[in-house]
């Protein structure tokens, strides 16, 4: 066997392909950002800065050790833009294709039942799926870019070319949940402007829902009774988290003189909504995150950990995982031996996969927090927010990331990579390794609790 054939044989599992593809993209991005032409005059870029920025762009996180607008030249900014676009399209495409791959391993009868139920991805060719994902992404970004560009040109006197460039960059960053902005205060200067904040928030939500959910909504938005469990859970949990987060942030920060306090009442609700949207993996901010109350930091940690929808551009354990575990808990509290969502019963392997992803994520966040605490002098609440933001590929920060030692920044790089690639690889590994045991062991019920 030739060396090339041995290399291909080694990377046949989808989990390996995903990890290698994202690592290769980060390596290319690091190389390009390390070039002198990528840095603005008077600035210098070290290897760690290039690696950190390439990772945060490809993994569409948004944490940064340098100011994106002032440190990088137009070439460097375009590289970051392309990396965010590639990372977002890669996540949506790979996650959706994994769904097809997993369904292809089902038996003929199960595939026919699944196709009859969803009438969507299982009956669609791969080329059509990829084409629809690309068109959906580019069209969504084009609409948001047009709205932002016009607003910046008409209301903020930006030159037409500059307004168009800013519109495109922030539309791509928002839709792909990239979290990077070309203003040093992120979106804080637009805290009272709904024509900027609402399109950005809508793009974050739309990109975070996931292509399978959007595809099904387009096809059957008038027939909610026919929606799949994925769509029902994604929409229901997302709406509950957005509503609850908006209410919580608005109430907790209402009188905070460093965040919502000085704003008019109607602007407080707008800023509260925007602040609730961003932890789902958007990463942009309209108020100063470092000045929020500890209660708001904790709520942000929870929302970032849950994240966005499956097969979307957001991170976290996914609202689907969170919703499935909630239904499992509800069934257990009611003493039911089956877990039902609407008129569908959840398969046992799906429940175990959700539990595995959640517990693995908790372990990684705990380990990352412990290690970072040993490296820096900052308090637990600030360190925890930074770690969850990196693992959830969100990008919200209390401002300590640029001041972390090299070891701390490398830890965040690892967390961003694992947080972005991990859920895909874990899901594919669990789903594709599913097999039926040919014998049963004697049952025992140990004491729980």
């Amino acid at each position: 066997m030739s060396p090339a054939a041995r290399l291909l044989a080694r990377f046949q599992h989808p989990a390996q392909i995903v990890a290698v593809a994202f690592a290769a993209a980060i390596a290319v991005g690091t190389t390009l950002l390390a070039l002198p032409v990528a840095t603005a005059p008077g600035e210098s870029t070290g290897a760690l800065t290039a690696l950190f920025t390439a990772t945060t762009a490809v993994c569409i996180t948004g944490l940064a050790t340098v100011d994106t607008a002032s440190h990088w030249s137009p070439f460097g900014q375009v590289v970051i833009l392309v990396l965010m676009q590639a990372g977002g399209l890669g996540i949506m495409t790979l996650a959706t294709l994994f769904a097809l791959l997993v369904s292809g391993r089902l038996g003929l009868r199960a595939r026919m039942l699944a196709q009859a139920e969803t009438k969507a991805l299982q009956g669609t060719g791969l080329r059509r799926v990829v084409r629809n994902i690309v068109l959906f992404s580019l069209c969504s970004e084009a609409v948001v870019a047009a709205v932002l560009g016009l607003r910046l040109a008409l209301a903020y006197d930006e030159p037409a070319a500059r307004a168009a460039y800013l519109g495109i960059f922030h539309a791509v960053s928002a839709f792909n949940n990239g979290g990077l902005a070309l203003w040093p205060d992120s979106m804080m200067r637009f805290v009272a402007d709904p024509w900027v904040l609402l399109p950005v928030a809508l793009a974050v939500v739309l990109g975070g829902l996931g292509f399978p959910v959007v595809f099904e909504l387009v096809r059957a938005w008038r027939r909610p009774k026919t929606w799949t469990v994925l769509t029902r859970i994604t929409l229901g949990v997302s709406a509950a988290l957005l509503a609850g987060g908006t209410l919580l942030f608005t109430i907790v920060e209402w009188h905070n003189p460093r965040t919502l306090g000085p704003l008019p009442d109607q602007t407080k609700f707008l800023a509260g909504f925007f602040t609730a949207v961003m932890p789902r993996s958007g990463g942009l901010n309209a108020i100063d995150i470092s000045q929020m109350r500890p209660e708001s930091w904790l709520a942000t940690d929870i929302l970032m950990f849950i994240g966005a929808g499956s097969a979307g551009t957001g991170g976290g354990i996914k609202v689907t995982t969170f919703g499935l575990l909630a239904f499992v808990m509800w069934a257990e509290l009611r003493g039911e031996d089956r877990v039902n969502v609407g008129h569908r019963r959840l398969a046992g392997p799906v429940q175990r996969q959700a539990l595995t992803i959640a517990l693995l994520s908790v372990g990684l966040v705990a380990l990352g927090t412990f290690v970072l605490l040993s490296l820096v002098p900052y308090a637990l609440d600030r360190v925890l927010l930074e770690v969850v933001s990196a693992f959830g590929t969100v990008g919200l920060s209390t401002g300590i990331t640029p001041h972390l030692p090299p070891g701390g920044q490398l830890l965040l790089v690892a967390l961003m990579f694992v947080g972005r690639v991990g859920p895909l690889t874990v899901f594919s590994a669990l789903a594709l390794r599913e097999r039926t045991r040919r014998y049963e062991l004697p049952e025992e019920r140990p004491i729980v609790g």
Side-chain angles (χ1 to χ4, degrees), residues 249-270:
F249 286 125
T250 304
I251 292 175
V252 172
E253 300 294 329
W254 187 272
H255 296 294
N256 187 344
R258 296 182 296 273
T259 55
L260 298 185
L263 303 176
D265 289 352
Q266 66 273 16
T267 303
K268 291 181 180 180
F269 286 105
L270 174 63

Side-chain angles (χ1 to χ4, degrees), residues 61-391:
T61 302
L63 290 174
T65 57
V66 294
D67 178 49
T68 306
S70 61
H71 182 87
W72 302 106
S73 68
F75 174 82
Q77 294 174 10
V78 171
V79 170
I80 293 172
L81 175 67
V82 172
L83 292 177
M84 287 193 297
Q85 183 71 82
L89 284 176
I91 285 295
M92 295 188 73
T93 303
L94 290 172
T96 305
L97 294 182
F98 275 171
L100 292 171
L101 181 62
V102 171
S103 68
R105 290 175 62 89
L106 300 174
L108 177 60
R109 177 178 176 82
R111 271 186 289 170
M112 292 178 65
L113 291 175
Q115 183 172 337
E117 177 184 342
T118 63
K119 299 182 180 66
L121 292 176
Q122 286 81 1
T124 307
L126 295 181
R127 288 185 180 180
R128 185 179 175 187
V129 170
V130 175
R131 182 196 66 189
N132 288 343
I133 291 174
V134 173
L135 288 177
F136 165 63
S137 301
L138 296 181
C139 289
S140 300
E141 292 167 356
V143 172
V144 176
V147 174
L148 293 179
L150 287 173
R151 183 61 176 175
L152 293 172
L154 297 177
Y156 297 92
D157 297 325
E158 291 282 359
R162 175 67 177 172
Y165 172 66
L166 291 173
I168 292 173
F169 187 96
H170 294 93
V172 172
S173 180
F175 180 82
N176 293 289
N177 286 214
L180 294 174
L182 294 181
W183 296 287
D185 60 355
S186 190
M187 311 296 290
M188 290 174 60
R189 63 186 63 193
F190 305 110
V191 66
D193 192 344
W195 290 98
V196 174
L197 294 192
L198 291 182
V200 169
L202 178 61
V204 170
V205 172
L206 196 59
L209 284 178
F211 177 75
V213 173
V214 174
F215 186 91
E216 186 170 5
L217 289 177
V218 171
R219 177 186 56 81
W221 64 275
R222 294 183 177 180
R223 303 187 300 276
K225 292 184 178 180
T226 66
W227 291 351
T228 60
V229 170
L230 172 65
T231 298
R232 293 184 180 188
I233 290 181
T234 300
L235 293 180
V237 176
S238 297
L241 293 178
L242 286 178
T246 301
L247 185 63
L248 188 148
F249 286 125
T250 304
I251 292 175
V252 172
E253 300 294 329
W254 187 272
H255 296 294
N256 187 344
R258 296 182 296 273
T259 55
L260 298 185
L263 303 176
D265 289 352
Q266 66 273 16
T267 303
K268 291 181 180 180
F269 286 105
L270 174 63
F273 170 73
F274 191 83
T275 304
V277 170
M278 290 304 119
R280 67 180 290 116
S281 205
L284 301 167
N285 59 284
I287 60 176
D288 191 349
I289 301 299
S290 66
Q291 301 300 320
M292 292 169 62
R293 300 188 187 278
E295 304 94 306
S296 297
W297 284 349
L298 179 59
T300 302
D301 292 337
I302 295 172
L303 292 175
M304 291 192 299
F305 184 77
I306 296 173
S310 300
T313 55
I317 64 171
K318 307 298 185 183
V319 294
T320 314
T321 303
F322 179 77
L324 289 176
L325 292 178
F327 277 105
V328 171
M329 183 177 66
W330 179 243
E332 185 64 27
L333 291 175
R334 298 181 63 181
E336 299 178 351
D337 60 351
R338 297 289 186 271
V339 181
N340 301 316
V341 181
H343 301 291
R344 294 291 185 270
R345 176 172 56 86
L346 291 183
V350 174
Q351 301 173 40
R352 295 195 299 271
Q353 290 164 13
L355 182 61
T356 301
I357 290 175
L359 290 181
L360 282 176
S361 300
V362 169
L364 285 171
V365 168
L367 178 62
T369 303
F370 179 84
V371 174
L372 192 57
L373 276 173
S374 67
L375 298 175
V376 299
Y378 301 110
L380 173 61
D381 49 7
R382 289 181 178 270
V383 171
L384 178 62
L385 190 143
E386 222 74 11
V387 168
V388 177
S389 182
F391 176 78

